[in-house]
Amino acid sequence: MEFHLVDGGEGDGGHATPDGTRLEDLAPEPLLTRDYETRPELVYERLRERHGPVAPVDLLGVPAWLVLGYRESLQILQDDAAWPKGLENWRARSEGRVPADWPLGPSLEVNHVLIQGGPGYRSLRGAWDMALRPFQDPRNPQAKQLRAAVTGYADELITLLAQGGRTGVADLSAQFSRPLPLMAASHLLGFPGSQGDDALMDMWRVLDAGPDAEPALERLLVTLTELAAAKTEKPGDDFPSHLLAAHPDLSVDALARELFMLLGMVSDHVGILISNTVVEVIAGESDGGVRTALSAGMIRETMNRVVMRKPPLVNFVPRFAAEDSPLGNHTIRAGDPVWVSAAAAHADPLFATRTTSGADVSTRAHLSWGAGPRQCPARELASSIASAGVRRVFERFGHLELALPVDQLPWRSSPFMRGLRSLPVRYELVGPVPQLAPPSVPDVPDASHASDALDAPAVADRQSARRRSSLWRYLTGLIRSNT
Ligand code: HEM
């Protein structure tokens, strides 16, 4: 085996590293340790010091390259031909070296737009862009209707949690930030009645990966397949129907997989974004600038900073070297998996020092929405749902403070995401606690914004169904009485 010394330049840790060693011979250290859960920035820093901008890591028994450098991450994200997605490009997998029971297998072996490479990808991505458009362009009735619905859901959730008292303690994650995007997803998916809410609870169980995750996933896939079949049979004005219109060849199963992907992205990532933004505002982590920004109505700008500082998607799903390619201090062999780490790239001095000094790198250069041709197509949608929710929180709570010091908030991590496990707050509602409106009376306050789009009896019907749903029962169980 040939070794040669690599010059230690800026950002590569300055260590001589054997180059030319195959990934599988490097015996990399496990990434997903307790430190990764509690202090990921230290883990990334250690890896950067030891290996430079690209480090070999062990992902639950499977070796991979973790890309820590900002420049190297961009290089990969911007060149889809040199670094394609698609598990069929993974040499170790084709050679049978990825165990059948690898814990990350189930999240990666689902063939949907986020994971897929190959010839079918381009048309599928094009269809996603088209299907999202009605909901993303704020001038469209579907976008206005979605925003009004989200504002209404936010009010329902706040009113429900405040049934414990006008002042009190709540877990704003479980009682607001997580259910809100789930409800928005149900709206986007065009679920009839409370069937959506039951599926949402199952999505929640899947994301939490607890003991009931597996049956929940099975139920969820059945429900989404039924939904896909129903929309194929009788299209509506919802995301599945728009996706089908843009890609009529999608089979019911393929459509169901795309819906699963949407549900996961909306529910987990948007929920994380809402919680992180609320913390940023109330804990004043942003040198006081955020409150000013909020009062100036600049929630979106705040969110951009939040998403940059705490990317919900910390590490991206794998891409594969199309051919042997030098990267950082290593040669990545054709078919080796590379995981771009947005969280680590943002801590790369090349990026971090330039954004904090406000100098020549715009904060918009961050990677939290990805970069290049496979950048997130739903950025506007996600930001719009999150900002509608955050706005309502600060309109309805006159006072909101963390019930724990900010550095003691509990986090949950997976190889892909990082978000708050819970968000305990002390709140004071503006005005008296509203009664939960009887199901026959629509209580979506902002429906007036889209009065032509939201039909009151339909809203009342949906709310009535919701009150009987498992999501609602669960949320009711979380109300803390403060009397
Ligand atoms: C805060 C919320 C969100 C964040 C931070 C986020 C972030 C990202 C990132 C970083 C990527 C690129 C991944 C990569 O390059 O491997 C991505 C891709 C993607 N996102 Fe999002 N996303 C969010 C919400 C959503 C939502 C709500 C949807 C769907 C409605 C969505 C749909 C997608 C899709 C379809 C892709 C794959 C694009 C492709 O490969 O061409 N995202 N997202």
Short mmCIF file of all heavy atoms in Angstrom, two decimals, residues 77 85 113-114 121 125 128 132 261-262 265-266 269-270 273 312-313 316-317 319 367-370 374-378 381-382, ligand 1:
data_model
loop_
_atom_site.label_atom_id
_atom_site.label_comp_id
_atom_site.label_asym_id
_atom_site.label_seq_id
_atom_site.Cartn_x
_atom_site.Cartn_y
_atom_site.Cartn_z
N LEU A 77 -22.01 19.13 -3.76
CA LEU A 77 -23.43 19.43 -4.00
C LEU A 77 -23.66 20.03 -5.39
O LEU A 77 -24.70 19.85 -6.00
CB LEU A 77 -23.95 20.39 -2.92
CG LEU A 77 -23.95 19.84 -1.49
CD1 LEU A 77 -24.38 20.92 -0.50
CD2 LEU A 77 -24.87 18.64 -1.37
N LYS A 85 -26.43 10.71 -6.38
CA LYS A 85 -27.15 9.90 -5.39
C LYS A 85 -27.54 8.58 -6.05
O LYS A 85 -27.29 8.37 -7.24
CB LYS A 85 -28.39 10.65 -4.92
CG LYS A 85 -28.11 11.81 -3.99
CD LYS A 85 -29.40 12.37 -3.43
CE LYS A 85 -29.15 13.54 -2.50
NZ LYS A 85 -30.40 14.11 -1.99
N VAL A 113 -37.71 10.72 -4.15
CA VAL A 113 -36.92 11.76 -4.82
C VAL A 113 -35.66 12.20 -4.05
O VAL A 113 -34.65 12.53 -4.65
CB VAL A 113 -37.82 12.98 -5.16
CG1 VAL A 113 -38.34 13.64 -3.90
CG2 VAL A 113 -37.12 14.00 -6.03
N LEU A 114 -35.72 12.15 -2.72
CA LEU A 114 -34.57 12.62 -1.94
C LEU A 114 -33.38 11.67 -2.07
O LEU A 114 -32.23 12.09 -2.03
CB LEU A 114 -34.97 12.75 -0.46
CG LEU A 114 -33.90 13.22 0.52
CD1 LEU A 114 -33.48 14.65 0.23
CD2 LEU A 114 -34.38 13.10 1.95
N TYR A 121 -34.80 10.32 -12.13
CA TYR A 121 -34.80 11.38 -11.13
C TYR A 121 -35.25 12.73 -11.69
O TYR A 121 -36.09 13.42 -11.10
CB TYR A 121 -33.41 11.52 -10.49
CG TYR A 121 -33.25 12.86 -9.81
CD1 TYR A 121 -33.91 13.13 -8.62
CD2 TYR A 121 -32.51 13.89 -10.41
CE1 TYR A 121 -33.81 14.38 -8.03
CE2 TYR A 121 -32.41 15.13 -9.82
CZ TYR A 121 -33.06 15.37 -8.62
OH TYR A 121 -32.99 16.61 -8.05
N ARG A 125 -38.11 15.11 -10.13
CA ARG A 125 -37.82 16.39 -9.49
C ARG A 125 -38.62 17.51 -10.18
O ARG A 125 -39.16 18.39 -9.52
CB ARG A 125 -36.32 16.65 -9.55
CG ARG A 125 -35.91 18.08 -9.22
CD ARG A 125 -36.21 18.45 -7.76
NE ARG A 125 -36.11 19.86 -7.53
CZ ARG A 125 -35.27 20.44 -6.69
NH1 ARG A 125 -34.46 19.72 -5.96
NH2 ARG A 125 -35.25 21.74 -6.54
N TRP A 128 -42.07 17.43 -8.87
CA TRP A 128 -42.13 18.01 -7.52
C TRP A 128 -42.19 19.53 -7.61
O TRP A 128 -42.99 20.17 -6.94
CB TRP A 128 -40.90 17.59 -6.70
CG TRP A 128 -41.14 16.42 -5.81
CD1 TRP A 128 -41.08 15.10 -6.16
CD2 TRP A 128 -41.49 16.43 -4.42
NE1 TRP A 128 -41.35 14.30 -5.07
CE2 TRP A 128 -41.60 15.10 -3.99
CE3 TRP A 128 -41.70 17.45 -3.49
CZ2 TRP A 128 -41.94 14.75 -2.68
CZ3 TRP A 128 -42.03 17.10 -2.19
CH2 TRP A 128 -42.15 15.77 -1.79
N LEU A 132 -45.40 21.61 -6.24
CA LEU A 132 -45.27 22.49 -5.07
C LEU A 132 -45.67 23.93 -5.39
O LEU A 132 -46.06 24.69 -4.51
CB LEU A 132 -43.82 22.48 -4.55
CG LEU A 132 -43.38 21.23 -3.79
CD1 LEU A 132 -41.86 21.24 -3.56
CD2 LEU A 132 -44.09 21.14 -2.43
N MET A 261 -42.37 10.72 1.93
CA MET A 261 -41.22 11.62 2.02
C MET A 261 -41.68 13.02 2.42
O MET A 261 -41.10 13.68 3.29
CB MET A 261 -40.54 11.63 0.65
CG MET A 261 -39.19 12.25 0.62
SD MET A 261 -39.35 13.92 0.09
CE MET A 261 -37.86 14.61 0.62
N LEU A 262 -42.76 13.46 1.78
CA LEU A 262 -43.29 14.80 2.09
C LEU A 262 -43.71 14.88 3.56
O LEU A 262 -43.36 15.83 4.27
CB LEU A 262 -44.48 15.13 1.18
CG LEU A 262 -45.16 16.47 1.51
CD1 LEU A 262 -45.48 17.24 0.24
CD2 LEU A 262 -46.41 16.29 2.33
N MET A 265 -40.63 15.12 5.83
CA MET A 265 -39.94 16.41 5.74
C MET A 265 -40.75 17.50 6.42
O MET A 265 -40.23 18.31 7.18
CB MET A 265 -39.70 16.80 4.28
CG MET A 265 -38.57 16.09 3.60
SD MET A 265 -37.00 16.37 4.44
CE MET A 265 -35.99 17.08 3.21
N VAL A 266 -42.03 17.55 6.09
CA VAL A 266 -42.85 18.63 6.66
C VAL A 266 -42.90 18.47 8.17
O VAL A 266 -42.65 19.43 8.91
CB VAL A 266 -44.29 18.62 6.09
CG1 VAL A 266 -45.13 19.71 6.77
CG2 VAL A 266 -44.29 18.83 4.59
N HIS A 269 -38.85 18.40 10.00
CA HIS A 269 -37.95 19.52 9.78
C HIS A 269 -38.61 20.87 10.05
O HIS A 269 -38.00 21.77 10.61
CB HIS A 269 -37.38 19.47 8.37
CG HIS A 269 -36.52 18.25 8.18
ND1 HIS A 269 -37.03 16.99 8.23
CD2 HIS A 269 -35.20 18.11 8.02
CE1 HIS A 269 -36.06 16.12 8.08
NE2 HIS A 269 -34.93 16.78 7.95
N VAL A 270 -39.86 20.99 9.66
CA VAL A 270 -40.53 22.27 9.90
C VAL A 270 -40.78 22.45 11.40
O VAL A 270 -40.64 23.55 11.94
CB VAL A 270 -41.84 22.37 9.08
CG1 VAL A 270 -42.55 23.68 9.35
CG2 VAL A 270 -41.53 22.23 7.59
N LEU A 273 -37.65 23.65 12.93
CA LEU A 273 -37.43 25.06 12.59
C LEU A 273 -38.28 25.98 13.47
O LEU A 273 -37.81 27.01 13.96
CB LEU A 273 -37.74 25.27 11.10
CG LEU A 273 -37.58 26.68 10.55
CD1 LEU A 273 -36.20 27.23 10.81
CD2 LEU A 273 -37.85 26.68 9.03
N PRO A 312 -31.73 21.93 10.53
CA PRO A 312 -32.52 20.75 10.93
C PRO A 312 -31.96 19.47 10.30
O PRO A 312 -31.87 18.44 10.95
CB PRO A 312 -33.91 21.06 10.38
CG PRO A 312 -33.97 22.55 10.29
CD PRO A 312 -32.58 22.98 9.93
N LEU A 313 -31.57 19.55 9.01
CA LEU A 313 -30.96 18.39 8.36
C LEU A 313 -29.45 18.55 8.53
O LEU A 313 -28.82 19.28 7.77
CB LEU A 313 -31.35 18.42 6.88
CG LEU A 313 -31.41 17.10 6.13
CD1 LEU A 313 -32.49 16.21 6.70
CD2 LEU A 313 -31.69 17.33 4.65
N PHE A 316 -26.59 15.06 5.15
CA PHE A 316 -27.45 14.72 4.02
C PHE A 316 -27.34 13.24 3.67
O PHE A 316 -26.33 12.60 3.98
CB PHE A 316 -27.07 15.55 2.79
CG PHE A 316 -27.19 17.05 3.01
CD1 PHE A 316 -26.72 17.94 2.05
CD2 PHE A 316 -27.76 17.57 4.16
CE1 PHE A 316 -26.82 19.32 2.24
CE2 PHE A 316 -27.87 18.94 4.36
CZ PHE A 316 -27.39 19.82 3.40
N VAL A 317 -28.35 12.73 3.00
CA VAL A 317 -28.30 11.32 2.58
C VAL A 317 -27.12 11.14 1.62
O VAL A 317 -26.67 12.10 1.00
CB VAL A 317 -29.63 10.88 1.92
CG1 VAL A 317 -30.78 10.96 2.89
CG2 VAL A 317 -29.92 11.67 0.67
N ARG A 319 -24.24 10.46 -1.14
CA ARG A 319 -23.92 10.51 -2.56
C ARG A 319 -22.72 9.59 -2.76
O ARG A 319 -22.09 9.16 -1.78
CB ARG A 319 -23.57 11.95 -2.96
CG ARG A 319 -24.76 12.88 -2.95
CD ARG A 319 -24.31 14.32 -2.95
NE ARG A 319 -25.37 15.23 -3.34
CZ ARG A 319 -26.30 15.70 -2.52
NH1 ARG A 319 -26.31 15.37 -1.26
NH2 ARG A 319 -27.22 16.54 -2.96
N LEU A 367 -25.70 26.13 3.90
CA LEU A 367 -26.08 24.89 3.20
C LEU A 367 -27.31 24.23 3.79
O LEU A 367 -27.61 23.09 3.47
CB LEU A 367 -24.90 23.90 3.27
CG LEU A 367 -23.57 24.40 2.71
CD1 LEU A 367 -22.50 23.33 2.87
CD2 LEU A 367 -23.73 24.77 1.23
N SER A 368 -28.03 24.93 4.67
CA SER A 368 -29.12 24.27 5.38
C SER A 368 -30.26 23.83 4.46
O SER A 368 -31.04 22.96 4.82
CB SER A 368 -29.66 25.18 6.48
OG SER A 368 -28.64 25.43 7.40
N TRP A 369 -30.37 24.46 3.29
CA TRP A 369 -31.37 23.99 2.32
C TRP A 369 -30.69 23.19 1.20
O TRP A 369 -31.28 22.96 0.15
CB TRP A 369 -32.14 25.16 1.70
CG TRP A 369 -32.84 26.03 2.70
CD1 TRP A 369 -32.42 27.23 3.16
CD2 TRP A 369 -34.09 25.77 3.36
NE1 TRP A 369 -33.33 27.74 4.08
CE2 TRP A 369 -34.36 26.86 4.21
CE3 TRP A 369 -35.02 24.71 3.32
CZ2 TRP A 369 -35.50 26.94 5.02
CZ3 TRP A 369 -36.15 24.79 4.12
CH2 TRP A 369 -36.39 25.88 4.96
N GLY A 370 -29.43 22.82 1.41
CA GLY A 370 -28.67 22.16 0.37
C GLY A 370 -28.10 23.21 -0.58
O GLY A 370 -28.10 24.41 -0.30
N ARG A 374 -29.76 19.76 -6.52
CA ARG A 374 -30.65 18.98 -5.66
C ARG A 374 -31.02 19.73 -4.39
O ARG A 374 -31.43 19.14 -3.38
CB ARG A 374 -30.02 17.62 -5.35
CG ARG A 374 -29.71 16.85 -6.62
CD ARG A 374 -29.64 15.38 -6.43
NE ARG A 374 -30.85 14.78 -5.94
CZ ARG A 374 -31.20 13.50 -6.13
NH1 ARG A 374 -30.42 12.73 -6.85
NH2 ARG A 374 -32.31 13.00 -5.63
N GLN A 375 -30.94 21.03 -4.48
CA GLN A 375 -31.32 21.87 -3.34
C GLN A 375 -32.80 21.64 -3.02
O GLN A 375 -33.59 21.30 -3.91
CB GLN A 375 -31.09 23.32 -3.72
CG GLN A 375 -31.10 24.24 -2.53
CD GLN A 375 -30.70 25.65 -2.92
OE1 GLN A 375 -30.97 26.08 -4.04
NE2 GLN A 375 -30.06 26.35 -2.02
N CYS A 376 -33.16 21.90 -1.77
CA CYS A 376 -34.55 21.68 -1.34
C CYS A 376 -35.52 22.45 -2.21
O CYS A 376 -35.41 23.66 -2.36
CB CYS A 376 -34.71 22.15 0.11
SG CYS A 376 -36.38 21.86 0.73
N PRO A 377 -36.50 21.77 -2.79
CA PRO A 377 -37.47 22.47 -3.63
C PRO A 377 -38.58 23.14 -2.82
O PRO A 377 -39.40 23.86 -3.39
CB PRO A 377 -38.05 21.34 -4.49
CG PRO A 377 -37.92 20.11 -3.66
CD PRO A 377 -36.71 20.31 -2.78
N ALA A 378 -38.62 22.88 -1.51
CA ALA A 378 -39.78 23.31 -0.72
C ALA A 378 -39.42 24.37 0.31
O ALA A 378 -40.13 24.55 1.30
CB ALA A 378 -40.38 22.09 -0.02
N LEU A 381 -42.16 26.86 0.95
CA LEU A 381 -43.29 26.23 1.63
C LEU A 381 -42.98 26.03 3.12
O LEU A 381 -43.78 26.38 4.00
CB LEU A 381 -43.57 24.87 0.98
CG LEU A 381 -44.69 24.06 1.60
CD1 LEU A 381 -46.03 24.58 1.11
CD2 LEU A 381 -44.56 22.58 1.24
N ALA A 382 -41.79 25.46 3.38
CA ALA A 382 -41.41 25.18 4.77
C ALA A 382 -41.33 26.48 5.57
O ALA A 382 -41.84 26.57 6.69
CB ALA A 382 -40.06 24.46 4.79
C1 HEM B 1 -37.13 23.26 7.64
C2 HEM B 1 -37.50 22.46 6.70
C3 HEM B 1 -36.61 21.85 5.64
C4 HEM B 1 -35.26 21.83 5.52
C5 HEM B 1 -34.23 22.43 6.47
C6 HEM B 1 -34.94 21.11 4.32
C7 HEM B 1 -33.66 20.87 3.86
C8 HEM B 1 -33.36 20.16 2.73
C9 HEM B 1 -32.02 19.89 2.27
C10 HEM B 1 -30.76 20.28 2.99
C11 HEM B 1 -32.12 19.19 1.13
C12 HEM B 1 -30.97 18.71 0.25
C13 HEM B 1 -30.54 17.34 0.67
C14 HEM B 1 -29.41 16.83 -0.17
O1 HEM B 1 -28.79 17.58 -0.94
O2 HEM B 1 -29.14 15.63 -0.06
C15 HEM B 1 -33.51 18.98 0.87
C16 HEM B 1 -33.99 18.29 -0.19
C17 HEM B 1 -35.31 18.08 -0.41
N1 HEM B 1 -36.36 18.61 0.32
FE1 HEM B 1 -36.23 19.81 1.92
N2 HEM B 1 -36.09 20.73 3.72
C18 HEM B 1 -37.14 21.16 4.50
C19 HEM B 1 -38.46 20.99 4.25
C20 HEM B 1 -38.96 20.33 3.18
C21 HEM B 1 -40.35 20.12 2.94
C22 HEM B 1 -41.46 20.67 3.82
C23 HEM B 1 -40.44 19.38 1.81
C24 HEM B 1 -41.66 18.88 1.10
C25 HEM B 1 -42.81 19.48 1.07
C26 HEM B 1 -39.11 19.15 1.33
C27 HEM B 1 -38.80 18.46 0.19
C28 HEM B 1 -37.52 18.18 -0.24
C29 HEM B 1 -37.22 17.35 -1.40
C30 HEM B 1 -38.23 16.69 -2.32
C31 HEM B 1 -35.83 17.28 -1.50
C32 HEM B 1 -35.03 16.49 -2.52
C33 HEM B 1 -34.63 17.36 -3.68
C34 HEM B 1 -33.79 16.63 -4.69
O3 HEM B 1 -33.06 15.69 -4.33
O4 HEM B 1 -33.86 17.02 -5.84
N3 HEM B 1 -38.23 19.74 2.18
N4 HEM B 1 -34.25 19.60 1.86
#
